[in-house]
Amino acid sequence: MAMKPEEILQAIHAARGGAICIPTMTTSPAWRTIAPDDLSVGCVGFMGGASSLGLGLALANPDRRVVIFDGDGSLLMQLGSLATIAGARPRNLTHLLFKNGVYHTSGSQVTPGGLTVDFVQMARGAGYRNAYAVRDFEDFKKRLPAVLSEEGPLFVELHTGLAEKTPMTDRGGKPFHEQVDTLRRRLLTAAGGAA
Amino acid sequence: MPESIPAPLIIDVLKDTFREARAALAQEGWRQKGDHLGTILSVPDTHQKSVLAALDKEQAIRVITCATEDEAATINAGLWMGGEPVVLMIQHAGLYASINTLRGVAMDGKVPTFYMIGLLSREKDKDPKDSRHSMVRFAEPLLDTFGVPHARMEGPDDVHLIPEYYRLAQQRKGPAAVLVGLETA
Ligand SMILES: Cc1ncc(C[n+]2csc(CCOP(=O)(O)OP(=O)(O)O)c2C)c(N)n1
Ligand SMILES: [Mg+2]
């Protein structure tokens, strides 16, 4: 049975501590209900950018975990970012792929190759430190502490069903520039406090 | 007549630009993580290859080679949110390739994004708008269409444009670009 994206996000929220999270596409509406905080920034309006946004944040905040919630269609759009991330070797980066085999947000068209595309092999081939697939929620819960702490870059392909909401059925959320501004202020306060 | 700019001069100006940027960030309350002055996000530009070669030997500046210019502009946003100074080095074709990201990340996200863009194949005796090459002709009009402030470096006397347009990107919270007129020496 495919996992429910909302359950995965709930579990991450409970365990994340001070981790920065980067939702995109169908993880966005669920995440802003589950974690209405200011330590997240959503990739909205530049499909495929979640992985690179996460890389920049991870490099700038080496003492903080950064967790990307990528979409499979989105990752296909900027697949080269796997190699860029592996090359930059951010030890604090976790790249989660919510693999549902479709472009859910734009109307559930099947992605090129659909569910047969093996992103784990791609991430391994690119040079991620570790990459594996998770198909079962009990297994995910067991692995979660390591997912949020093991040396990265780490890639986890999560086999999920469709989310309940999409950014099209559930519009809203703060505009991207407000999210950017809020997260930057928050990180500045943390940086100042640690100085 | 335009002239080539030597790589060591550009590197010195980049270092000064990063030092000034670090000082401004410190003023804001950021502390420096790591010992690099700043980060160059590069998708190798043939036009600026002498600068890239010199950067290879430069310890003070971190260079991250990106697979696409979309990545470069987006990584820049992540670094900016964490208080890191960044310069993007790309070529005109990379600007064309990544225009949705310039719009969606740098403009809509109000993220300071400073580009150095090489005008590869630009003829020495021609204004870019009269170039035989579409790649050279369209860069400046495209930046105008998107309202991105830009200036062209036509020789060593113009390197002051680097810190100026870097600062402009920070002030405007958006993209700003310096175009490199001739291949660097
Ligand atoms: C450059 C670009 N091309 C096309 C689209 C249209 N589009 C919006 S959402 C989407 C599907 C996203 O699919 P995926 O990343 O798998 O996320 P999911 O919705 O399945 O969670 C597409 C194709 C877009 N937003 N941007
Ligand atoms: Mg999908």
Side-chain angles (χ1 to χ4, degrees):
Chain A
M1 247 268 286
M3 296 184 285
K4 286 197 169 77
E6 293 81 5
E7 277 184 358
I8 295 170
L9 295 173
Q10 286 281 5
I12 293 169
H13 173 57
R16 71 192 272 224
I20 298 168
C21 296
I22 301 147
T24 192
M25 301 300 171
T26 54
T27 51
S28 297
W31 187 248
R32 69 172 178 262
T33 329
I34 294 166
D37 68 2
D38 48 7
L39 259 186
S40 302
V41 60
C43 165
V44 273
F46 48 103
M47 179 171 167
S51 53
S52 293
L53 203 55
L55 173 58
L57 281 162
L59 292 171
N61 299 277
D63 301 329
R64 205 183 267 278
R65 200 73 191 181
V66 174
V67 187
I68 301 160
F69 306 156
D70 218 341
D72 43 6
S74 294
L75 181 56
L76 285 173
M77 197 169 269
Q78 290 193 30
L79 198 54
S81 66
L82 289 177
T84 305
I85 288 171
R89 288 191 297 276
R91 302 158 77 100
N92 53 331
L93 185 70
T94 299
H95 191 168
L96 302 180
L97 182 75
F98 287 71
K99 183 183 185 183
N100 55 17
V102 293
Y103 294 110
H104 185 194
T105 302
S106 54
S108 291
Q109 306 86 354
V110 175
T111 52
L115 288 172
T116 59
V117 175
D118 187 340
F119 291 97
V120 173
Q121 281 206 47
M122 289 183 180
R124 270 199 203 125
Y128 274 55
R129 186 172 286 271
N130 194 6
Y132 55 86
V134 177
R135 294 176 174 76
D136 163 90
F137 187 57
E138 289 310 309
D139 185 29
F140 178 74
K141 280 196 287 189
K142 251 181 267 150
R143 290 177 183 266
L144 186 54
V147 163
L148 294 172
S149 63
E150 78 169 74
E151 190 170 335
L154 165 67
F155 186 91
V156 185
E157 183 186 85
L158 302 165
H159 291 234
T160 76
L162 298 187
E164 285 162 24
K165 299 170 183 165
T166 81
M168 303 314 289
T169 63
D170 209 72
R171 286 173 183 275
K174 280 192 285 177
F176 179 57
H177 69 90
E178 276 179 34
Q179 297 185 42
V180 165
D181 187 59
T182 308
L183 180 55
R184 188 172 190 271
R185 282 170 201 275
R186 176 73 187 270
L187 293 171
L188 173 59
T189 312
Chain B
M1 271 295 213
E3 266 178 77
S4 284
I5 308 173
L9 176 58
I10 292 187
I11 305 262
D12 282 346
V13 174
L14 283 171
K15 282 189 188 166
D16 287 345
T17 303
F18 281 137
R19 279 192 200 101
E20 185 190 316
R22 283 269 181 222
L25 287 163
Q27 197 79 41
E28 225 187 312
W30 292 100
R31 85 194 146 86
Q32 187 170 340
K33 299 148 238 165
D35 46 16
H36 53 276
L37 281 175
T39 304
I40 303 273
L41 297 173
S42 156
V43 180
D45 171 23
T46 327
H47 211 55
Q48 302 179 76
K49 64 179 187 296
S50 68
V51 179
L52 293 172
L55 279 169
D56 269 350
K57 292 176 214 106
E58 195 53 65
Q59 296 298 315
I61 298 177
R62 168 167 73 179
V63 179
I64 296 176
T65 302
C66 307
T68 67
E69 292 79 5
D70 288 310
E71 292 171 16
T74 313
I75 295 167
N76 171 69
L79 286 166
W80 183 71
M81 281 185 269
E84 285 291 309
V86 186
V87 171
L88 274 70
M89 287 180 70
I90 66 169
Q91 68 182 47
H92 42 22
L95 173 70
Y96 306 138
S98 63
I99 207 72
N100 187 50
T101 306
L102 180 142
R103 178 204 57 75
V105 177
M107 294 176 67
D108 286 5
K110 302 194 200 287
V111 176
T113 308
F114 172 66
Y115 293 89
M116 288 176 64
I117 305 173
L119 288 178
L120 179 68
S121 302
R122 184 271 178 104
E123 302 90 333
K124 202 173 176 159
D125 57 346
K126 280 195 179 128
D127 189 279
K129 73 176 180 330
D130 302 320
S131 172
R132 284 195 298 121
H133 306 286
S134 62
M135 268 197 292
V136 176
R137 277 199 312 272
F138 287 121
E140 289 170 354
L142 181 65
L143 292 168
D144 287 335
T145 298
F146 280 79
V148 179
H150 59 88
R152 201 185 323 133
M153 296 197 298
E154 293 288 39
D157 290 344
D158 291 339
V159 292
H160 61 90
L161 293 168
I162 294 176
E164 276 171 33
Y165 276 72
Y166 183 91
R167 261 180 247 132
L168 191 60
Q170 313 300 310
Q171 283 158 13
R172 293 175 50 111
K173 289 201 169 173
V178 162
L179 296 134
V180 184
L182 290 185
E183 186 167 349
T184 55

